[in-house]
Amino acid sequence: MTVDLDALLAILAMAVATIATRIGGLILIRYVTIGENQKRALEAIPPAVLMAVIAPTALVTGPSETIAAAATAVAATRLPLLASVAIGVISVALLRQVLGGAW
Amino acid sequence: MQVRSAFQEFRAAAIAMTPLIVAVMPIGLVFGAVAAAKGLTPAEVTLMSALVFAGGSQFVAMDIWTHPASWAALGFSALLVNIRHVLMSASIGSKLDSFSGPARYASMLLLADEIWAMAEMRASNGKLTPAWYAGLAVPFYCAWVLTSLTGAMLGALLGDPKLIGLDFAFPAVFIILVMGFWKGRETGAVLAASACAAVVTHQLLPGVWYIAAGAAAGVVVAVLSGGRKEAHA
């Protein structure tokens, strides 16, 4: 059970950043009135960030990942979260067997 | 109306939270296993889950984790991925009337997506008390930390997560979350801009700049398309 110093620093940096976002809203509503443009920008942040995170994996890693990503997205429109995750994981594993993967 | 004790409030909230606790357990196990495969020790995995407690950013961190770890890159990416918390705490922050000043800030330390959603629901059809919030947050937090640790210890036994597709679990979760944010064509424009900017930046620059580039492109498109709609209205 060891903790590397660089890893500890990185974890603390993540914790500080995350805590700042969690109390940020409390501070925001005390001092700032949010107008239409600010609201629109804030609302776009979650999908924009999530899409940016998955785009390289989903679009330019290989056909297995792209097809599995599409299957997951379709599953998400009608199945609960865990079932959709299972479909994504199982389909990427099978596709990598069949197509060969970028791994 | 009968006033319920704090313990009864806590217990009722914990029972309401049970399905979400069950759902987060496999995700915690996968996170621990992925982190162990990345070379993190069980102590490091547990520390991260206990101090950061934000699954999305923890999975992204595993994507960009290096040896030695870069605190600047990891802190920056956690800030970007978790910036949505600002909106969530701004929203729930106006519904914490029965919380003392320090309790408001303390409660926000455990503001995860699932806890936030359940707290909003309680505030909309009842009274959100500190005991109720604790009943939502504390068991969920414990489940996340303990399953991360378990996953990290079992992870070494599981071997390469890619063989059974487990490395795809988090991209899959993100894809599902993105679908949940869909609100029509404007969301499509945001997603397309974000994806294009992220892919291009990913090809050109090392590190996590692709996340910043995609987020910025999506936000710019959202503001521009909103401004255009107002001009036409």
Side-chain angles (χ1 to χ4, degrees), chain A residues 1-15 17-30 34 36-37 39-60 64-66 68-70 72-74 76-77 80-82 84-85 88-93 96-97 102-103, chain B residues 23 26-27 41-44 47-48 51-54 57-58 60-61 65 68-69 71 74-75 78-87 89-90 93-94 104-105 108-109 111-112 162-169 171-179 181 190-191 194-195 198-199 202-203 210-211 214-215 218-219 222-223 226-227 230:
Chain A
M1 296 296 268
T2 55
V3 176
D4 173 66
L5 182 61
D6 288 304
L8 178 65
L9 282 176
I11 290 166
L12 289 177
M14 289 176 67
T18 306
I19 289 168
T21 65
R22 283 184 168 138
I23 62 170
L26 281 190
I27 295 165
L28 196 71
I29 54 176
R30 281 180 66 175
I34 299 181
E36 272 307 302
N37 270 338
K39 189 161 171 259
R40 202 173 284 120
L42 284 171
E43 277 177 355
I45 287 175
V49 170
L50 290 169
M51 189 69 209
V53 169
I54 57 182
T57 302
L59 300 177
V60 289
S64 302
E65 285 75 10
T66 303
T72 308
V74 171
T77 60
L81 183 124
L82 272 181
S84 307
V85 173
V89 167
I90 292 165
S91 57
V92 86
R96 282 169 178 169
Q97 295 287 327
W103 55 284
Chain B
I27 300 177
T41 66
E44 288 163 356
L47 203 59
M48 186 186 291
L51 293 180
V52 180
F53 183 50
S57 60
Q58 292 179 231
V60 172
W65 193 266
W71 67 268
L74 288 157
L79 188 69
L80 281 176
V81 176
N82 291 328
I83 200 81
R84 68 183 188 284
H85 289 149
V86 175
L87 272 186
S89 67
S94 58
R104 288 179 192 212
Y105 285 90
M108 289 304 105
L109 296 180
L111 190 75
K162 285 192 176 183
L163 277 178
I164 46 173
L166 277 186
D167 61 309
F168 200 72
V173 171
F174 289 147
I175 289 166
I176 294 157
L177 290 177
V178 164
M179 299 299 286
F181 283 113
V190 169
L191 295 181
S194 170
V199 166
H202 181 72
Q203 306 291 4
Y210 69 94
I211 298 177
V219 168
V223 172
E230 269 166 25

Side-chain angles (χ1 to χ4, degrees), chain B residues 12-30:
Chain B
I15 290 169
M17 195 68 183
T18 304
L20 293 163
I21 293 168
V22 171
V24 83
M25 292 171 87
I27 300 177
L29 289 172
V30 169

Side-chain angles (χ1 to χ4, degrees), chain B residues 56-73:
Chain B
S57 60
Q58 292 179 231
F59 274 99
V60 172
M62 292 308 103
D63 239 24
I64 61 171
W65 193 266
T66 50
H67 295 276
S70 159
W71 67 268

